Amino acid sequence: MFSLIKLQRVFTVHQVPKAFHEDSIISGYRHPRSSATDCVLSLFQLTNETLNVWTHFLPTWYFLWKLMTVLLMEDAWCDANTWPLLVFLFSCCVYPLASSCAHTFSTMSTRARHICYFFDYGALSLYSLGSAISYSAYVFPDAWLNSTFHAYYIPAAVLNTILSTCMACYSRLGIPFLHYNHGIDERFSERQSPRLSKVLRILAFAYPYLFDNIPLFYRLFLCVGEGCTDNEANSIHVHHTLLAFLNLSEREREKYKAYATQN
């Protein structure tokens, strides 16, 4: 069947505009003016985006299955305690789906590339908000329930979602993300201040993560005595936190390797 599919030619980094360059990737680039059909067909060949697409697209179906499992529960809609879980699972579906679509269709044009990644950043921020909603319902230690911080936790998370999305978009294209100029061929980060751009993008997603996890970190590492929630879920949260930091460490290691390769 795959022999009947006409696969497109791939290019080296020197054959595509700078807006499409990726750190330490020297080949496997798709045509920067690909059609939507070409983008979909490219999923069945080895390109610089193959892993990015499939490692996000396949988990989408896993989380969708989890979401449907909860939705089909008899009392899912009647039990208000289930609603935060539904919101979180919905955000778990939206984020990888948006990311896979962004990586799939980002080579249709320079403008399409920026727009695709704007949606990707927005979906990641939405996932952060979904995490905050579930944390507010299930993770807060008993000592913090109904406190002032608990009351303003979700509004602050909503504000963080908006600010982090805007900051990530700004780090990619600067102010023109508000009114895209068709004459722009390069990313703001590549034209003016690549280091500042990377710092802004890291902050855009690191800060909401740290804020969302304040009640979890307090519950696991600081809370002692009466009012602390100590149950079997704590061990799961410890493993989840450890895996998150291991993932962060691996990403930083890969960034260092890319920087060392370029220099």
Side-chain angles (χ1 to χ4, degrees):
M1 182 183 69
F2 289 114
S3 63
L4 301 177
I5 300 175
K6 184 180 179 181
L7 300 180
Q8 301 297 310
R9 174 192 171 192
V10 294
F11 302 89
T12 66
V13 67
H14 303 294
Q15 295 175 306
V16 296
K18 285 187 177 181
F20 295 85
H21 292 186
E22 298 292 345
D23 290 344
S24 73
I25 304 297
I26 61 175
S27 63
Y29 291 89
R30 296 169 293 173
H31 195 284
R33 291 286 181 179
S34 301
S35 66
T37 301
D38 291 337
C39 290
V40 173
L41 292 179
S42 70
L43 300 181
F44 303 100
Q45 67 182 126
L46 189 60
T47 71
N48 65 315
E49 295 288 11
T50 302
L51 289 178
N52 286 330
V53 173
W54 287 104
T55 55
H56 286 85
F57 183 70
L58 295 179
T60 300
W61 295 99
Y62 170 77
F63 289 116
L64 183 61
W65 170 65
K66 287 292 186 180
L67 175 61
M68 295 304 299
T69 300
V70 177
L71 285 174
L72 294 177
M73 291 172 56
E74 183 177 354
D75 299 327
W77 294 106
C78 300
D79 186 3
N81 290 325
T82 308
W83 297 349
L85 177 60
L86 293 175
V87 172
F88 174 69
L89 289 175
F90 175 76
S91 70
C92 288
C93 296
V94 170
Y95 161 53
L97 179 61
S99 184
S100 63
C101 289
H103 287 287
T104 299
F105 299 105
S106 61
T107 55
M108 294 183 67
S109 68
T110 304
R111 184 186 187 190
R113 184 174 181 83
H114 293 310
I115 293 175
C116 283
Y117 284 108
F118 289 168
F119 277 104
D120 189 16
Y121 301 151
L124 181 56
S125 297
L126 181 64
Y127 168 74
S128 176
L129 178 59
S131 299
I133 292 174
S134 64
Y135 279 15
S136 176
Y138 308 126
V139 173
F140 263 71
D142 294 340
W144 282 13
L145 293 179
N146 301 318
S147 64
T148 301
F149 178 67
H150 193 197
Y152 288 97
Y153 178 74
I154 296 300
V158 172
L159 180 61
N160 289 339
T161 298
I162 298 172
L163 292 179
S164 64
T165 303
C166 291
M167 186 182 297
C169 293
Y170 175 84
S171 73
R172 184 174 189 86
L173 197 60
I175 293 298
F177 86 86
L178 296 176
H179 46 278
Y180 184 85
N181 185 340
H182 290 269
I184 294 176
D185 294 324
E186 296 181 350
R187 285 180 289 182
F188 168 81
S189 59
E190 292 178 339
R191 293 200 323 271
Q192 298 185 17
S193 183
R195 290 185 179 180
L196 176 61
S197 175
K198 290 181 180 179
V199 170
L200 289 177
R201 201 172 304 174
I202 291 173
L203 287 176
F205 300 117
Y207 168 72
Y209 170 80
L210 293 174
F211 176 84
D212 292 348
N213 281 274
I214 287 176
L216 178 60
F217 292 155
Y218 178 79
R219 170 177 169 174
L220 294 179
F221 307 118
L222 298 177
C223 190
V224 292
E226 187 178 356
C228 295
T229 306
D230 187 9
N231 52 37
E232 60 274 12
N234 282 6
S235 60
I236 298 176
H237 290 308
V238 170
H239 293 157
H240 155 256
T241 303
L242 178 60
L243 290 174
F245 277 102
L246 288 176
N247 179 62
L248 178 62
S249 300
E250 178 64 17
R251 286 176 178 269
E252 291 302 319
R253 187 178 69 85
E254 291 299 326
K255 289 180 181 178
Y256 175 79
K257 287 175 60 179
Y259 179 81
T261 302
Q262 291 178 324
N263 293 273

